[in-house]
Amino acid sequence: MAKVLIIEDNPANMKLTSLLMRHAGHTVLCAIDAEHGLTMAHAEQPDLILMDIQLPGMDGFAATSLLKQDPATATIPIIALTSMAMKEDQKKSEIAGCDGYIAKPLRYQELYAVIDALLAKAAPQGNEANPSGGTP
Ligand code: MN
């Protein structure tokens, strides 16, 4: 399974998202703003980042751009989490470099499907050989 960094400032959304990730067997790292998220992405090298767009201070678009411009974090897949009402955000997410996009409120089937597809793309082989899910 994967190490997933969730960057989300809303406690209820963080709780739900981390619960869904743990239920899927992933290891969860949490950051409540972009600055902490950037620091954790560097230090922990997660397999995937779930990025809330509306964050205090630096928003998710800016944080994604920074991660994608930095060779140390550029290859980490990033999924933008944004409000269903903000249609504009999908295009902005793509421009910022996000690899996927999910509108909130989260639907777990969609979340799992997007994550599985991205993780499969990032590591096409080898994960089945490690059923215990231990980190390498
Ligand atoms: Mn938010």
Side-chain angles (χ1 to χ4, degrees), residues 6-9 31-35 37-38 49-69 77-82 89 92-101 104:
I6 304 170
I7 306 175
E8 167 67 79
D9 64 311
I32 59 165
D33 61 37
E35 286 78 6
L38 293 174
I49 297 174
L50 298 180
M51 177 77 77
D52 181 30
I53 292 305
Q54 293 179 303
L55 293 166
M58 187 192 303
D59 69 15
F61 299 126
T64 297
S65 293
L66 287 176
L67 289 166
K68 291 298 183 182
Q69 284 164 30
I78 299 176
I79 298 176
L81 306 177
T82 185
D89 283 359
K92 289 186 194 165
S93 302
E94 288 165 12
I95 292 167
C98 290
D99 301 272
Y101 167 94
K104 292 189 276 193

Side-chain angles (χ1 to χ4, degrees), residues 94-124:
E94 288 165 12
I95 292 167
C98 290
D99 301 272
Y101 167 94
I102 297 175
K104 292 189 276 193
L106 294 180
R107 291 180 306 127
Y108 71 91
Q109 299 98 327
E110 183 184 9
L111 184 63
Y112 288 164
V114 170
I115 287 172
D116 286 350
L118 275 178
L119 290 176
K121 202 165 71 176

